[in-house]
Amino acid sequence: MRKRLLWVLGLLALGLLLVSCAPNASQDSLKPEGPYAQTIMDLFVPVFWVAVAVFVIVEGGIVLILIKYRHRKNRDQMPAQTHGNTRLEIGWTILPAVVLAFVTVPTVAVIWDLAKPPPADALHITVEGHQWWWGFRYTDSDMMTAYDDQAPIVAADVMVIPTGRTVYLDLSSVGGLIGGDPEQADYAVIHSFWVPQLAGKQDVVPNRTNHILLQADHPGTYYGQCAEFCGLQHARMKFRVLALSPSDFEAWVANEMQPAVTPQDELARQGAELFANGVGSGGQCIACHAIGGVNGGVNAGPNLTHYAAESHLCFAGCDWDTSDIEALKAWLRDPSAVKLGAKMPNYHLTEPEIDALVAYLMSLT
Ligand code: CUA
């Protein structure tokens, strides 16, 4: 019995050790890449060592006493009891209070620090959590599109930011009926926005706006993940933050301000036609997906105006790279077959329709 228990515990420990290993961990909060993540790291390290000291002293004391006073054959007397020792009682009441104070003071300071209003030059982005993808709306006055009465630039799956500048996020959870079918409803549920290398977690709650600050010091791609169970595809509700140098960011903004390009290629033109006017089965892509300059306002699904832009690294909750054409075809063929429960309806597209739609989407740079 005891042997079996030891085996189980050993295997459990080994399992834990193995799952903690990753050669290129992309969501590692211990490798901060910006000042806000660094602030959290600078709190984590001392608190961690305090916890280690407490663990070693307490557990060490328990093990020591277990060994020293364990039952032995010719030992039939109880060891001396310390019950009612006033000095000891006071000591081990005060000591933990002092330890807690050492942890509390810097923790509260960091909480206040991270809750401060953003600096005046911060970039404002509204983040919308959907089942199961992230939408980003750039609400600053210098980020308005050149069409559609100057609406904010809208993107999905990839949040593009400039390096070295604070980004202030307004986070909320949104949803709605898609095509009037409750099965397809994108329910407004609680999500959690988390880019481990850039900031802490923040809950994304319906009918409420939460905020978080983040900043990236270096250009690069930072991986994000929904961190609150929100339904079937919670684990695949991912996103990426693409940090560009200020000049590259300006170029990105200039492109995003433009309406979608009009396709030149014949197949892509057919795709545009299907997209705007409905497919053979009667399905309407445009009822959920906005294409800048073609239709405005709808954002039940990701905005696809610049779907094939270099910055749009991934699609459908960042499950697949945008360059993966076969994945896009499979997704269009039957969304729920590759992502169970996906809210995009299956329009039973024919293969020629899929080819045309893919050609159109891939022309939207
Ligand atoms: Cu959204 Cu989990």
Side-chain angles (χ1 to χ4, degrees), residues 25 48 74 80 84 111-112 169 178 194 245 262 340:
F48 174 77
N74 47 7
I111 290 172
W112 282 102
L169 302 180
I178 298 175
W194 192 30
S245 69
T262 310
L340 185 69

Side-chain angles (χ1 to χ4, degrees), residues 176-182 184-186 288 300-301 343-345 347:
L177 276 180
I178 298 175
D181 177 1
Q184 299 296 150
D186 167 9
C288 291
K343 302 298 182 182
M344 185 159 101
Y347 281 156

Side-chain angles (χ1 to χ4, degrees), residues 130 132 134 189-192 226-231 233-235 237:
H130 292 263
W132 289 277
W134 296 94
V189 295
I190 301 176
H191 305 275
S192 179
C226 178
E228 178 86 39
F229 181 72
C230 55
Q233 291 297 339
H234 152 71
M237 184 173 170

